[in-house]
Amino acid sequence: MKAPLSSGMTAEPSGARLRWRSVAVPTEHGGWGLTLEPVLLGLLVAPSPAGVALGVAAFVAFVVRTPLKLAVVDVRRDRWLARSALAAKIACGELTVIVAMAAFAVWAAGWSWLVPVAIAFPMVAIEAWFDARSRSRRLVPELCGAVGIGAVVAAIVVAGGESNQLAAALWLVLAARSIGAIPFVRVQIMRLRRGAGPTGPSDVAQLAAVAVGTVAVAVDHRVAAGLIGLVVLVALQAVWARRPPPVAKVLGMTQMGLGIGLVLVTAAGVAWS
């Protein structure tokens, strides 16, 4: 006996929604926080219409990685499926939004904000190279992607009329945060899965984070509060690396909270200096 028409009609949209989500929505939950931090810090320090446009472009650039990676991987594997075509359409639409936001930023604030973007381009390119080969979970692309997206804070600050020194120092603070956080999270996930793991890589990363934060203060003393926040964060991660790791969801939420806290402390320090 034939199934009622209404039953078939409800099943298809549900499947279509599921396919659209798997093609368009990033699975890297930590990436949302790493994108939010430079956008929020930049807009707190130097708010401007051009900065808002660059913030929108940054979030869309994070989102577009998912459909773009899927389409590129399928092309490399010499296959073209329905999901490939959908991913290509979504990626084209999102790339159009990025171009439009960048054009508005150029119109509103000139070209100077493109300098940090150009400096970050090699790091983004390295991440994209690993992405296309389905190796984006390795340490190098994760660090390159996190430090590269940090350039957004420098671009927003320059577009808002602040100095290149302050822009560079803020970028260095967020780079230091990523340099310490990513190896720490990787060690915690390894310990969560295997029950044990070395803390050495995380400890070295915490020292490197403090070193980069110190350079940031040398570039512009107004980010001194950011260095203090980094030292606190590094101390917490050094202790937590030796305690039983929480589940991945709690770990991710904790890192997002710490990142936003660092952003607020750094922005307040710049405002009061």
Side-chain angles (χ1 to χ4, degrees):
M1 187 176 178
K2 252 187 199 180
L5 184 59
S6 60
S7 137
M9 290 176 68
T10 54
E12 187 176 348
S14 174
R17 282 195 298 270
L18 182 61
R19 186 177 62 200
W20 183 90
R21 183 173 181 177
S22 66
V23 167
V25 180
T27 56
E28 304 96 333
H29 301 299
W32 292 104
L34 290 174
T35 306
L36 172 63
E37 290 168 24
V39 173
L40 179 60
L41 181 55
L43 292 177
L44 286 173
V45 171
S48 70
V52 173
L54 292 174
V56 172
F59 274 105
V60 178
F62 168 65
V63 173
V64 79
R65 280 184 58 222
T66 298
L68 196 58
K69 171 186 173 181
L70 196 152
V72 170
V73 168
D74 282 353
V75 168
R76 289 190 74 252
R77 293 176 178 174
D78 198 23
R79 66 186 183 190
W80 194 252
L81 311 172
R83 69 166 194 173
S84 313
L86 178 60
K89 289 177 184 177
I90 293 172
C92 286
E94 291 171 343
L95 289 171
T96 300
V97 172
I98 294 172
V99 171
M101 293 295 102
F104 175 82
V106 169
W107 174 79
W111 296 90
S112 55
W113 60 267
L114 280 167
V115 173
V117 175
I119 294 172
F121 180 79
M123 289 178 278
V124 176
I126 290 171
E127 182 190 30
W129 187 88
F130 279 92
D131 259 355
R133 287 154 181 79
S134 301
R135 299 174 183 173
S136 56
R137 298 291 188 180
R138 298 189 178 187
L139 179 60
V140 169
E142 285 190 348
L143 282 175
C144 284
V147 175
I149 196 65
V152 173
V153 67
I156 291 175
V157 167
V158 170
E162 288 288 347
S163 68
N164 292 333
Q165 288 78 12
L166 179 59
L170 291 170
W171 186 4
L172 285 169
V173 168
L174 293 187
R177 180 269 193 286
S178 297
I179 288 169
I182 290 175
F184 165 75
V185 170
R186 290 173 66 89
V187 165
Q188 291 294 78
I189 290 175
M190 180 188 301
R191 295 174 68 229
L192 186 63
R193 291 175 177 171
R194 301 179 184 176
T199 60
S202 176
D203 293 339
V204 171
Q206 306 318 307
L207 294 175
V210 173
V212 174
T214 303
V215 173
V217 175
V219 172
D220 195 310
H221 70 278
R222 287 177 286 178
V223 302
L227 175 58
I228 295 171
L230 271 171
V231 171
V232 172
L233 196 154
V234 159
L236 288 173
Q237 291 180 161
V239 172
W240 289 342
R242 288 158 174 80
R243 292 187 174 180
V247 297
K249 186 176 180 180
V250 172
L251 181 61
M253 294 299 293
T254 302
Q255 281 298 315
M256 182 175 288
L258 290 172
I260 293 175
L262 178 63
V263 163
L264 295 177
V265 167
T266 305
V270 172
W272 292 337
S273 60

